[in-house]
Amino acid sequence: MISYLEFEKPVAELEQRVAELRAAAEGDDVDISNELQRLELKSSALLTSTYETLTPWQKTQVARHPSRPHFRDYVEYAFDEFVPLGGDRSYGEDEAILGGFAKLDGRKVVLIGHEKGNDTASRLRHNFGMGKPEGYRKAIRLMELAGRFDLPVVTLVDTSGAFPGVEAEERGQAEAIARSTEACLALPVPMVAAIVGEGGSGGAVALASAERVLMMEHAVYSVISPEGCASILWRTAEKAPDAAEAMKVTAQDLEGLGVIDRIVAEPVGGAHRDPRAAATSLGDAIAEELDKLGRHSADELKRMREERFLRIAG
């Protein structure tokens, strides 16, 4: 069952009509294949045109779609032999940020990413992808392992932001995020980060300070959520669509600004309509970037990261 977003209602109505015709055609002697084909083509064309003209706010809704693939889906469809590693060796395990060893196209990598969960129970278990200090310290530990064993690092970013609770602040949330960002920048091995859904604030940057940053076609990346921005500027979250427009949160805007390096195409209608195809496309793109980065020395990689972020800041 596809969960339709508000702006997809015309598409939903057509696809419902197609489903009804298919059901009516079963065991019926009346040939309605021509009408069925006409409606299918119309539905496909409408879906394509709708997704070609999405507003920044609509893209934000797509990035948050409940059926959008998350970390575990990408592991299943794009990576092989994933061996999870847990704990920060200091406080405990954080299931909002997962990581371990994996293979991508035959290449061994250290894979780290946010996991939001796909139902109520798993979303609660993974804290909706909002990492706590122990999650970022786990990421640091894995990055240090990657440097020690000369393995490239791949991160999949999908979070509305780091967990803002009191207990996280008590355990040093800000320091953990800063240290994780520092660990990214100091890596002696290639690093490719991919924004696969939401890239929210420092909670995203802590895993995305790489020399190559990719972004899924309908993902978003920003310093604050559109609702949060609207609440600060206009004192109402109802202005979120205006905030999304002004903040330049889309992959297309951010590529133009030089914040990201490459946009990875999604299946028509978003990654949630075909998670396997979306994951395969992303895996291929990451493999290509790692091939290019493998030609550079450790010093060159560090300099590339430094230059890209100084260029953005400037």
Side-chain angles (χ1 to χ4, degrees):
M1 285 288 293
I2 296 175
S3 177
Y4 292 96
L5 299 168
E6 183 67 25
F7 66 84
E8 292 179 306
K9 279 188 175 180
V11 176
E13 291 171 2
L14 270 177
E15 291 189 348
Q16 178 63 31
R17 178 61 179 150
V18 168
E20 290 171 356
L21 273 177
R22 280 208 190 104
E26 292 180 6
D28 199 328
D29 294 333
V30 179
D31 185 7
I32 58 172
S33 57
N34 289 338
E35 175 65 10
L36 189 58
Q37 184 180 34
R38 185 187 69 81
L39 282 177
E40 287 175 338
L41 289 173
K42 186 177 180 180
S43 174
S44 177
L46 181 58
L47 182 66
T48 300
S49 64
T50 298
Y51 271 78
E52 285 176 345
T53 56
L54 293 181
T55 66
W57 178 240
Q58 288 170 336
K59 280 184 177 286
T60 303
Q61 293 174 287
V62 175
R64 296 170 175 173
H65 195 285
S67 299
R68 192 171 178 86
H70 300 304
F71 182 85
R72 290 187 181 278
D73 300 300
Y74 286 102
V75 168
E76 179 181 356
Y77 297 133
F79 294 85
D80 298 308
E81 299 179 27
F82 179 61
V83 179
L85 298 175
D88 66 344
R89 301 298 186 267
S90 178
Y91 178 82
E93 168 68 339
D94 178 15
E95 292 199 61
I97 297 177
L98 304 180
F101 297 114
K103 279 190 176 181
L104 174 63
D105 200 24
R107 176 193 288 105
K108 292 180 180 179
V109 301
V110 168
L111 179 64
I112 309 168
H114 299 95
E115 173 58 57
K116 285 185 171 181
N118 54 15
D119 56 30
T120 301
S122 62
R123 285 175 188 133
L124 289 171
R125 185 171 73 252
H126 294 292
N127 200 34
F128 300 88
M130 295 186 292
K132 297 177 181 177
E134 50 272 24
Y136 291 104
R137 290 177 180 133
K138 173 171 63 177
I140 294 168
R141 185 171 73 85
L142 295 180
M143 284 187 260
E144 289 174 348
L145 277 176
R148 189 180 308 161
F149 294 109
D150 195 29
L151 297 174
V153 173
V154 174
T155 60
L156 305 181
V157 177
D158 189 10
T159 181
S160 58
F163 184 61
V166 173
E167 63 269 36
E169 298 299 332
E170 290 174 342
R171 296 199 293 273
Q173 182 72 291
E175 186 265 352
I177 289 172
R179 294 291 184 188
S180 183
T181 306
E182 180 184 43
C184 292
L185 295 173
L187 272 172
V189 294
M191 179 179 182
V192 175
I195 315 299
V196 297
E198 286 186 280
S201 192
V205 173
L207 297 186
S209 297
E211 61 270 29
R212 295 293 288 176
V213 180
L214 282 53
M215 199 164 166
M216 297 300 287
E217 182 182 1
H218 302 306
V220 293
Y221 192 20
S222 62
V223 69
I224 190 173
S225 70
E227 296 94 329
C229 177
S231 295
I232 292 170
L233 294 181
W234 293 290
R235 299 290 190 268
T236 173
E238 292 180 2
K239 287 282 191 176
D242 296 323
E245 183 76 39
M247 289 164 63
K248 308 295 183 186
V249 300
T250 71
Q252 294 73 23
D253 285 330
L254 294 170
E255 185 182 41
L257 292 170
V259 174
I260 66 162
D261 304 294
R262 178 173 176 176
I263 297 174
V264 180
E266 296 186 24
V268 176
H272 58 279
R273 285 180 175 264
D274 193 343
R276 183 184 294 275
T280 300
S281 294
L282 181 62
D284 291 343
I286 292 172
E288 288 175 14
E289 297 299 337
L290 289 176
D291 285 339
K292 296 174 186 174
L293 293 173
R295 304 166 192 157
H296 296 278
S297 67
D299 287 340
E300 288 173 333
L301 292 171
K302 292 176 186 177
R303 187 168 61 251
M304 288 168 67
R305 290 182 208 123
E306 180 181 357
E307 288 174 352
R308 91 181 305 277
F309 287 102
L310 287 175
R311 187 171 60 251
I312 292 170

